[in-house]
Structures are given as structure tokens and as C-alpha cells.
Amino acid sequence: MSRLLKRSSLAAWLCLCLLAGLVAADSCSAIEAVAPSVQVKYRFDPAYTSTNSEYWSTTCIALKPSCIIYPSSSRDVTAILGALRSNASDPEPFAVKSGGHNPNNYFASVDGGPLISTEKLNHVILDLETGIVRFGPGLRWDELADKLDGSGWSAVGGRMGNVGVGGYMLGGGLSFMSQEYGWAANSVLEFELVVANGTVVTASEDRNPDLFRALKGGGNNFGIVTSFTAQAYRQGQVHGGVMVFPRSRDTDAKMLKAIQDFTVYNDDDKAAVIPTQERAGGGIVDAWIVFMFYDGPSPPETVFKNFTDIKHIVDARKTCSYAELVRTNNWAVLKGQAYVIGTETLPLPEDPSSDLAATMLPEIHEHWREVSKQVDDAVGIIASIAYQPFPRRIAQVARDKGGDLLDMDDDVDRIIIELNYSFVVKKDYERVGQTLEDTYGGMRDRVLAWQEAGQLPDAYAPLFMNDAYDEQDYFSRLRPQHAELARSLAEELDPNGLFRERTGGWKP
């Protein structure tokens, strides 16, 4: 990898020469001077307004970049990074935005510095014979699914269509198809990215393999990805949708048992579920919503039986195209809300018949219900918990496909918790954030106590980046050798701290 840093591309060298004369220019003006083909939009321009409003969380929308920059090629990105480097004496913060689904402020949003929007990096090139597809980070998953619809191929990707491709892939990416194909990032064959010195780099199994691993779960620390090349898979119609269950203590017990049993015993790799419980209006709305998916037109009757046997009031499942399903799931993201999202990873007991197996999820769930009540008076509050099964089968597939930075082992089954609080009034941000910390912190304390008592295996439990809160220490939860790999690569590829010091996100 060090050879990459010893030779800048011709484009990067030219940018440096041109920028040498732009003394004390801000980055936005510098980019306009050296790359006139790159669109640069300022506040009150309709394009600026549109791009900056496309975040899940209103707290990110409230941050106002000095300009928004729209590269459409890796050459454009090289020029942009050259301009940012030229202002090292008066460094501005900056951010890179794909779909804007990460609600952590300053991760894909910025106040007073340039925002690089990847929305024009939206190419989709499919080889109909092999299913190898090259696509850009500026797409959302429903856009990519629509492009592939009717081809007979589908890419492993987001379960909600309006999730952006870029951040999702660099965080690993859980998919409805993960039990078949692993993390979404495990199907990537090649990354193209522009590193801090402007060089365009390819990372694959054969070229820069350490970087290839680090990009699968390492976030925005190594450069700006301009293209993914991934293996797509044969796919026809699918079956899926949501079921809604009125909440009661009896329903809680049955649902939590169904979640644990599905995680441990399901052997149909085509089946997936995301059971969630939603509380809103101080408990006025209190219900389970279960997302179900089957990679085929008709699931076996038994595969979801533990869920469908529970009393429910809505069954909106249907047979449709994969593109239609992920587009339909967009209803779950409410516009005009502020969001904080956090996560925790729960290893399950080795003995599914043990006393702890019967009480663990109920205790975790009751903890969430009690702590979430702390903010029942917040305007527009919706508290949600999602149980995302991560059976050992996913870890097996991920390792078979070459691995990733998370490097899950297949020794135990796990559940990845997603905690989601949305609300309306910005002044509630700090206390809702504290409630989120209390929620996942209490879960972690319980897991550690059960492990110390010998009731839970002392299993590796990294955090899932795509669901993590900015206060969670993502890299400290990785295996030490993988955290060190990320740290050393970030220092080598970015010795002057362009990404490490001027962008948000978790830093190794």
C-alpha cells in the first residue's frame, strides 16, 4: 500500500499546481477555479436546498454547509480533495453524503464547511451473463433495485429502499438476504476510491487486500469510494411485507420466544424477519410490527409459523418483485423527525433450554420499555426496538466469502439490537440522546454480568456500525488486530489527517 502514497496521479499533481496560486481561497471557490465542470451550489439554490433536506434526521438538515459539491467521476473527486488539501493552513470541516440515512450529526452532514454529495455518482452497469454489477455510492437501494428489476439479478442490499448505498456498504450492511450471502459488503468484488492525496485506488482480493478488508466495515476513514463492483444473485419474485400485532404482556412473551427460536433454529436461508416494537404518545400507540421476507414467491407454511400464530390485526405480506418490496418498506421512515439510533449485540446462551435463555430477552425488553418512558413527554416521541437475528450461519457465509473488518465467528448465535428514538423538537435532543445511552448501556451491563456469572458465553460482540450512536466506541469493540489494521491504514493513506481530523465518524 505504501507505493500508492509515493505516486500521486497526474490529475492530483495538476490540481496541486493550479491550487498553489489560490492563497487564502475557501474550498468552495478553489474547487470552482480548478474544476469548472464540477457543480458547486450555494445556500438558497434549489439544488442545495433539495440535497440538504434529504436526511432522515432534521438535526442533520439544520446544519448548513458552506456549499454542496457534486462530483460525477473519480477525476472530479481528485480535484475536490486537492482543493481541500490546499486549505490546510485554515482547514474547514467537510462531509461526504450518500443517502443521508445516518442520523449522527457531522457524520454525513456539516455546518460551515463543504458537503460532497455523491448523488451524481449513480451509475449502474450490469453484466447480464455473470451478474457482476458496478454501481455508484450516490444511489439509494430502491433506485438500484429498480435499475436491476426485470434483469433476473438482484444485489444484496438495504431492507428499506431510501437507505443510501455508500454509507450502508462501508458499515457492512445487514440485508434480508444476509443468511444466504452474508453482509452486503461480503459480495463486493472491488472498491474504487480516491485517497487523501488524490490517487485513484482499486481494492480487491488481489489488489490492496488489507484495504479491501478494511473497507468492509471500516467506514469513511480511507478515502471517498466512487464505485462498488459486486456479485449480484439470481432472483425472481419474493414474498414479504409487515404484520402488526397489538401489544400485551402475553404477546411480548410469545414474540420474544419466536425471535429467539427463529435465530437459533431457522434453517431456511431464504427466510428473514425484523421484529420491532413501537411506543408512541406515551404508550397510546404500543404495537409489534414484524417485517418478513422470503426469497421466493411462496414461503413454506412453517417458516414463520411462530409469528403468524400470534394474534395480529394486519397482515400486509404479498408476492412481488424485490424492487417493489424495498420501495414499500420506505413508509417506516417518518419525515420531519429528529432521530437518534444506537445498537447493542447480544450473544445468545449456548443452551437454548437454559434458565437464562427463557429470561434473557424478556429482561432486555422490559429494560427498554422502562427506560424509554423517561422521554414519554418529548413532543412527537416514538421509541422503537428492533431485534435483528444474526445466526451463526451469517458469520459462516461471511468468512467463506473472504471476511470483513467485523470478523464475526460462528461459535454462537447473536441478535443485533437497533434502538431508535424519533421526536420533533430540537431542544429534546440531548435528553433523548442520554436516554438512548441509558438504554444500550443497560443492555451491555446485563450481558457483561451474565458473562461474568458464566451464564452467557464470553463471545465476541462487535457493534454494527450502520446502527451505532456517535457516543459508542465502534473500533474498541472490534478484534484488536482489525482495529489496528484500520488505524495503520488510515495513517498511511491519510498522513496529514484530511479525513481523520476534518470529517466526522468513528476514527480508529
Side-chain angles (χ1 to χ4, degrees), residues 91-325:
E92 299 167 290
F94 70 96
V96 183
K97 175 179 180 288
S98 173
H101 67 277
N102 191 313
N104 290 316
N105 295 331
Y106 306 104
F107 277 40
S109 54
V110 65
D111 199 38
L115 175 67
I116 302 169
S117 170
T118 63
E119 63 187 70
K120 292 186 181 299
L121 296 167
N122 60 355
H123 53 279
V124 180
I125 305 168
L126 172 67
D127 185 320
L128 284 168
E129 295 297 319
T130 65
I132 293 175
V133 58
R134 184 178 175 89
F135 54 92
L139 294 159
R140 297 175 189 270
W141 283 108
D142 51 10
E143 294 174 323
L144 181 56
D146 283 341
K147 292 283 188 181
L148 298 180
D149 197 24
S151 70
W153 297 95
S154 184
V156 180
R159 298 164 295 187
M160 294 179 187
N162 56 13
V163 170
V165 164
Y168 172 93
M169 293 297 274
L170 295 176
L174 263 180
S175 170
F176 283 133
M177 296 182 279
S178 283
Q179 193 157 316
E180 293 181 274
Y181 306 118
W183 301 102
N186 295 135
S187 289
V188 175
L189 304 174
E190 182 178 287
F191 298 88
E192 178 190 87
L193 71 157
V194 184
V195 297
N197 73 354
T199 302
V200 180
V201 175
T202 296
S204 66
E205 280 189 0
D206 300 322
R207 301 174 66 183
N208 305 306
D210 284 347
L211 179 60
F212 183 57
R213 175 183 281 270
L215 285 164
K216 293 182 284 185
N220 65 344
N221 289 289
F222 314 109
I224 297 177
V225 174
T226 52
S227 195
F228 302 92
T229 301
Q231 180 64 61
Y233 301 94
R234 289 289 186 188
Q235 189 171 64
Q237 287 191 308
V238 302
H239 189 271
V242 298
M243 296 183 69
V244 180
F245 306 76
R247 187 264 164 182
S248 68
R249 287 193 174 275
D250 182 60
T251 299
D252 285 354
K254 290 177 179 176
M255 189 66 70
L256 295 168
K257 180 68 164 59
I259 293 167
Q260 180 164 285
D261 286 349
F262 186 90
T263 306
V264 174
Y265 296 117
N266 173 58
D267 59 3
D268 190 334
D269 293 344
K270 295 179 181 294
V273 296
I274 316 174
T276 72
Q277 188 171 126
E278 316 283 333
R279 294 186 63 256
I284 295 173
V285 175
D286 204 350
W288 285 90
I289 301 174
V290 180
F291 295 79
M292 297 184 184
F293 174 83
Y294 193 78
D295 192 1
S298 180
E301 185 178 347
T302 57
V303 71
F304 299 123
K305 186 173 175 22
N306 285 354
F307 296 99
T308 57
D309 279 353
I310 301 172
K311 180 182 177 182
H312 52 274
I313 55 176
V314 174
D315 186 349
R317 295 174 298 157
K318 62 182 179 180
T319 299
C320 59
S321 70
Y322 180 73
E324 182 180 353
L325 179 71

Side-chain angles (χ1 to χ4, degrees), residues 164-482:
V165 164
Y168 172 93
M169 293 297 274
L170 295 176
L174 263 180
S175 170
F176 283 133
M177 296 182 279
S178 283
Q179 193 157 316
E180 293 181 274
Y181 306 118
W183 301 102
N186 295 135
S187 289
V188 175
L189 304 174
E190 182 178 287
F191 298 88
E192 178 190 87
L193 71 157
V194 184
V195 297
N197 73 354
T199 302
V200 180
V201 175
T202 296
S204 66
E205 280 189 0
D206 300 322
R207 301 174 66 183
N208 305 306
D210 284 347
L211 179 60
F212 183 57
R213 175 183 281 270
L215 285 164
K216 293 182 284 185
N220 65 344
N221 289 289
F222 314 109
I224 297 177
V225 174
T226 52
S227 195
F228 302 92
T229 301
Q231 180 64 61
Y233 301 94
R234 289 289 186 188
Q235 189 171 64
Q237 287 191 308
V238 302
H239 189 271
V242 298
M243 296 183 69
V244 180
F245 306 76
R247 187 264 164 182
S248 68
R249 287 193 174 275
D250 182 60
T251 299
D252 285 354
K254 290 177 179 176
M255 189 66 70
L256 295 168
K257 180 68 164 59
I259 293 167
Q260 180 164 285
D261 286 349
F262 186 90
T263 306
V264 174
Y265 296 117
N266 173 58
D267 59 3
D268 190 334
D269 293 344
K270 295 179 181 294
V273 296
I274 316 174
T276 72
Q277 188 171 126
E278 316 283 333
R279 294 186 63 256
I284 295 173
V285 175
D286 204 350
W288 285 90
I289 301 174
V290 180
F291 295 79
M292 297 184 184
F293 174 83
Y294 193 78
D295 192 1
S298 180
E301 185 178 347
T302 57
V303 71
F304 299 123
K305 186 173 175 22
N306 285 354
F307 296 99
T308 57
D309 279 353
I310 301 172
K311 180 182 177 182
H312 52 274
I313 55 176
V314 174
D315 186 349
R317 295 174 298 157
K318 62 182 179 180
T319 299
C320 59
S321 70
Y322 180 73
E324 182 180 353
L325 179 71
V326 297
R327 198 166 50 243
T328 300
N329 285 344
N330 284 341
W331 68 266
V333 179
L334 300 178
K335 297 290 187 179
Q337 295 275 105
Y339 283 85
V340 292
I341 297 177
T343 188
E344 191 49 69
T345 302
L346 308 179
L348 294 181
E350 293 178 297
D351 180 2
S353 63
S354 67
D355 290 343
L356 182 60
T359 60
M360 177 180 172
L361 289 187
E363 183 170 336
I364 290 289
H365 193 73
E366 187 60 27
H367 165 72
W368 166 76
R369 288 189 62 84
E370 288 303 311
V371 174
S372 68
K373 292 176 183 177
Q374 294 175 183
V375 287
D376 273 356
D377 61 334
V379 177
I381 190 73
I382 302 173
S384 171
I385 183 170
Y387 295 87
Q388 303 174 106
F390 196 94
R392 62 190 75 196
R393 167 67 178 161
I394 299 178
Q396 292 168 351
V397 175
R399 288 191 164 187
D400 288 346
K401 286 179 172 290
D404 45 72
L405 202 65
L406 286 93
D407 193 24
M408 290 278 204
D409 57 70
D410 59 3
D411 296 340
V412 297
D413 298 302
R414 299 170 175 85
I415 292 175
I416 295 176
I417 300 289
E418 180 192 326
L419 300 163
N420 187 319
Y421 289 89
S422 67
F423 50 100
V424 172
V425 182
K426 187 178 177 181
K427 70 177 180 63
D428 289 324
Y429 186 86
E430 287 190 10
R431 71 186 186 106
V432 175
Q434 183 59 57
T435 299
L436 175 63
E437 293 184 56
D438 293 344
T439 311
Y440 64 68
M443 293 179 179
R444 181 63 173 163
D445 290 344
R446 284 165 169 78
V447 168
L448 293 175
W450 288 323
Q451 288 176 330
E452 187 175 350
Q455 296 174 283
L456 264 187
D458 188 19
Y460 170 60
L463 297 171
F464 176 37
M465 178 183 281
N466 295 141
D467 288 346
Y469 188 45
D470 58 7
E471 294 294 328
Q472 296 186 280
D473 191 350
Y474 172 78
F475 283 98
S476 75
R477 295 280 291 270
L478 294 178
R479 298 186 191 279
Q481 66 270 29
H482 296 328

